[in-house]
Amino acid sequence: MSEIGYMLTDPLMQRALLAALLVGVSAPVVGTYLVQRRLALLGDGIGHVALTGVALGWLVGAALGLVPDDVLAVPGAVVAAVVGSVLIEVVRRRGRTSGDLALAIMFYGGIAGGVLIIGIAGGSSGNLMAYLFGSISTVTSTDLVLTIVLCTLILMVGVGLRPALFSVSHDEEFAISSGLPVWALNMAVAVLAALTVTVAMRVVGLLLVSALMIVPVAIGQLVTHSFRRTMAVGSVVGVVVCVVGLSITYWYPVSPGALIVVLAIAVYAVVAGLHPLLARRRPARDPHPDIPDDVEVEVAATNTGPEGECER
Amino acid sequence: MTSPVIDARGVHVRLGASHVLRGVDLRVDPGEVVALLGANGSGKSTLVRTVVGVLTPSQGEVSLLGHPLGNGVPWHRVGYVPQRVSAAAGVPSTAAEVVASGLLHGRRLALPRGWRDRAREALDQVGLADRADDATSQLSGGQQQRVLIARALVREPEVLVLDEPVAGVDRPSQEAFAATMTRLIGSGLTVLVVLHELGELAGLVTRAVVLRHGKVVHDGAPPRPHGGHDATGHEHVHPHTSELPVLTTEVGLTDGPLGTGSTEVGP
């Protein structure tokens, strides 16, 4: 127990835990919308583009002679991620078939661009490792402030506008016919995804960002069938795996990002394995969901022929 | 003279390279129940999607409730029921959640107080009050269609635009739908409905507009259904992808004798 107290008084660990907690709550909120739009891999695409942003930030920092030379890496990632996600959204609106291809090109371009530019900036691809796989143990106070601001923004928009974002993600055509500002709401989801990728970059790294957005939502889907509760369960799972995973690395020197993602997938596997058992134990409330309805309707209409007429 | 609820004039719509609507005029007055008929590919869905602002006409004008399409339209007075979309969205959602999204319109981006009760009332109107907390993916096709109707009704619209509300829906659901529509029309609702055949709604429709190749070929009394086509027990469940029902429908529309006083719908 005293060891946990020890961990909690370590300022480095305090910052890391707070960052992990915030990212754990926020990432599944945005992930819920991405899964609903069938854009589960969008986070990966944005993550790759953000790598180019990191390298560009580095290049600009080096050119300006800033110290340390990666001070602009995170702002660079934010800018590149936002630009990239907006571009993907624009391509998605143009036509569905090319969206997939555009995403793929962005994947490759992002990584290649990042490695190329970091070389020009005088670094090596080794410098990118911290961003690719996370470096939560090096979270500075400045990083923490940025994380708090961005996570607050993500939660305010992602939870506050949930009904509107749900409507647009669920049935865009109906949202248009309701006069909702569909374009702005779509852009909001794209920008939220970009910001989430950049704040989660510190915790799990760009290569694993998407897992933190998607896997908790997949777990939520298994245990509930409401959109709101899927999001809530996702956030709880996100917080638990982030905080537990990070705490374990305080004693065992393994990569926190990788451990967090493995934990999340383990939870998914356990819940998916238990799910049939739990579902079976629930009373089978309605094995033939159509029958009560049809009877009720026939009584109301009172002029139907025999049931057999329907399926001729 | 009352101002029309829906007023489309000389509407041309191009989707990609195809010129789907070629100069369509459509006027719907308050209290009318207008059926939009025609074979698959004749432009019915394109026309209603244009009327509710989903598609932008390349030529012509559309006004809804006296306002040209855009931010000026009082969207809370318009209810739209799209052709049934697959309920297998990425994330599960309950019927009540889907219906509640009908309470958002224009610049209202947050749910009003008491949204649960209103969603439940709307589901009650389509006979699904007891399924409010069930996942939409657990409902049958006909029930999902009724959830979409409830989503349009929840905002208590003055005009309802429906795109094939009974295609692929079992007979009891069709009758429940007709009963709901009878009640709503009785309370003064204006309706524009895309149909393959009049079916259960035959008694409610006050006027029929028939589209063929993107043009209006008939606007007047509803055509009487082809003999045997609408007889008791004859059930027509159209899969949208199959070719055969397309032919059947066209035959039903072109060969059927028309009601007296209506324009001949010849090829």
Side-chain angles (χ1 to χ4, degrees):
Chain A
M1 271 298 115
S2 69
E3 287 221 30
I4 290 179
Y6 217 66
M7 176 183 87
L8 291 177
T9 48
D10 181 348
L12 195 78
M13 203 59 192
Q14 283 173 345
R15 287 199 295 267
L17 278 173
L18 187 55
L21 186 110
L22 286 168
V23 170
V25 179
S26 316
V29 168
V30 178
T32 312
Y33 297 114
L34 298 188
V35 173
Q36 197 189 19
R37 305 175 145 231
R38 303 190 174 290
L39 285 173
L41 292 178
L42 180 68
D44 282 306
I46 298 173
H48 287 56
V49 174
L51 193 71
T52 297
V54 167
L56 273 175
W58 206 307
L59 183 67
V60 172
L64 295 177
L66 298 176
V67 181
D69 49 8
D70 68 341
V71 71
L72 289 179
V74 174
V78 173
V79 172
V82 170
V83 170
S85 65
V86 167
L87 269 179
I88 293 171
E89 174 60 26
V90 168
V91 169
R92 195 185 71 84
R93 289 180 69 82
R94 283 283 172 87
R96 270 168 221 161
T97 43
S98 56
D100 186 38
L101 212 56
L103 207 60
I105 290 171
M106 227 162 243
F107 266 55
Y108 313 136
I111 290 279
V115 173
L116 206 61
I117 292 169
I118 200 79
I120 296 170
S124 71
S125 46
N127 295 119
L128 293 176
M129 291 305 268
Y131 298 94
L132 282 174
F133 295 105
S135 57
I136 192 161
S137 49
T138 61
V139 171
T140 63
S141 308
T142 323
D143 290 335
L144 190 61
V145 170
L146 187 67
T147 304
I148 292 172
V149 170
L150 290 181
C151 283
T152 311
L153 184 71
I154 290 165
L155 287 174
M156 270 168 45
V157 177
V159 177
L161 285 180
R162 183 176 53 214
L165 295 176
F166 168 81
S167 179
V168 168
S169 306
H170 180 75
D171 185 348
E172 194 167 305
E173 196 159 298
F174 180 77
I176 295 172
S177 80
S178 302
L180 293 178
V182 170
W183 184 86
L185 291 168
N186 279 332
M187 281 301 165
V189 173
V191 171
L192 282 187
L195 295 181
T196 310
V197 165
T198 43
V199 294
M201 174 171 82
R202 275 291 188 192
V203 178
V204 290
L206 289 171
L207 286 182
L208 293 174
V209 149
S210 217
L212 202 52
M213 295 164 84
I214 303 307
V215 179
V217 178
I219 297 167
Q221 277 186 44
L222 288 177
V223 297
T224 171
H225 48 233
S226 127
F227 184 82
R228 204 167 52 91
R229 285 197 292 269
T230 300
M231 187 181 274
V233 171
S235 280
V236 170
V237 171
V239 170
V240 170
V241 295
C242 279
V243 170
V244 170
L246 185 61
S247 304
I248 292 174
T249 62
Y250 187 71
W251 290 285
Y252 301 97
V254 291
S255 159
L259 183 62
I260 287 168
V261 172
V262 167
L263 270 181
I265 292 172
V267 172
Y268 177 80
V270 169
V271 173
L274 289 177
H275 189 245
L277 301 175
L278 293 173
R280 211 166 297 155
R281 203 175 295 168
R282 262 179 239 148
R285 187 172 58 91
D286 202 359
H288 299 295
D290 270 347
I291 286 179
D293 254 297
D294 293 353
V295 169
E296 190 183 293
V297 162
E298 287 203 301
V299 169
T302 64
N303 59 350
T304 345
E307 188 69 37
E309 297 278 318
C310 299
E311 299 300 327
R312 194 178 287 175
Chain B
M1 202 174 124
T2 49
S3 60
V5 175
I6 296 169
D7 195 10
R9 288 174 193 205
V11 170
H12 287 257
V13 173
R14 291 165 202 273
L15 296 178
S18 49
H19 193 172
V20 183
L21 294 184
R22 303 156 187 250
V24 170
D25 293 306
L26 176 70
R27 180 190 160 111
V28 179
D29 286 318
E32 275 195 301
V33 179
V34 175
L36 201 52
L37 303 167
N40 279 9
S42 58
K44 306 181 303 280
S45 290
T46 304
L47 180 55
V48 293
R49 291 169 78 208
T50 308
V51 163
V52 297
V54 173
L55 299 175
T56 313
S58 53
Q59 233 179 295
E61 287 165 20
V62 180
S63 66
L64 205 49
L65 294 161
H67 299 267
L69 284 183
N71 290 335
V73 173
W75 290 108
H76 60 283
R77 291 160 59 194
V78 182
Y80 171 51
V81 182
Q83 242 173 18
R84 182 155 52 88
V85 286
S86 164
V91 173
S93 47
T94 64
E97 283 177 324
V98 173
V99 171
S101 63
L103 289 167
L104 305 179
H105 43 74
R107 293 293 172 267
R108 171 182 270 287
L109 300 181
L111 292 173
R113 266 175 212 286
W115 65 269
R116 273 178 191 286
D117 294 333
R118 289 183 66 181
R120 202 172 282 270
E121 272 169 38
L123 281 166
D124 195 28
Q125 289 195 46
V126 296
L128 286 177
D130 56 327
R131 311 302 298 267
D133 294 322
D134 286 1
T136 42
S137 55
Q138 290 171 356
L139 303 178
S140 73
Q143 290 171 331
Q144 288 178 18
Q145 184 68 54
R146 279 144 72 187
V147 168
L148 298 189
I149 294 169
R151 180 178 64 175
L153 293 179
V154 71
R155 59 173 74 136
E156 294 164 9
E158 289 166 38
V159 53
L160 197 57
V161 179
L162 307 105
D163 195 351
E164 298 205 18
V166 289
V169 169
D170 55 40
R171 191 175 194 88
S173 289
Q174 289 198 24
E175 279 157 6
F177 170 68
T180 307
M181 293 304 289
T182 308
R183 200 177 62 244
L184 291 167
I185 291 162
S187 63
L189 186 73
T190 306
V191 177
L192 174 65
V193 56
V194 171
L195 292 172
H196 259 299
E197 66 253 8
L198 294 174
E200 299 288 340
L201 293 181
L204 298 170
V205 170
T206 57
R207 184 157 61 92
V209 173
V210 180
L211 285 184
R212 187 171 299 149
H213 302 304
K215 286 182 176 162
V216 175
V217 293
H218 169 82
D219 186 350
R224 217 165 56 224
H226 187 245
H229 202 258
D230 197 46
T232 321
H234 180 95
E235 193 51 38
H236 224 79
V237 180
H238 294 281
H240 286 157
T241 46
S242 162
E243 284 301 311
L244 194 60
V246 180
L247 295 171
T248 324
T249 307
E250 193 135 38
V251 168
L253 281 170
T254 51
D255 291 0
L258 297 168
T260 40
S262 66
T263 324
E264 181 73 34
V265 189

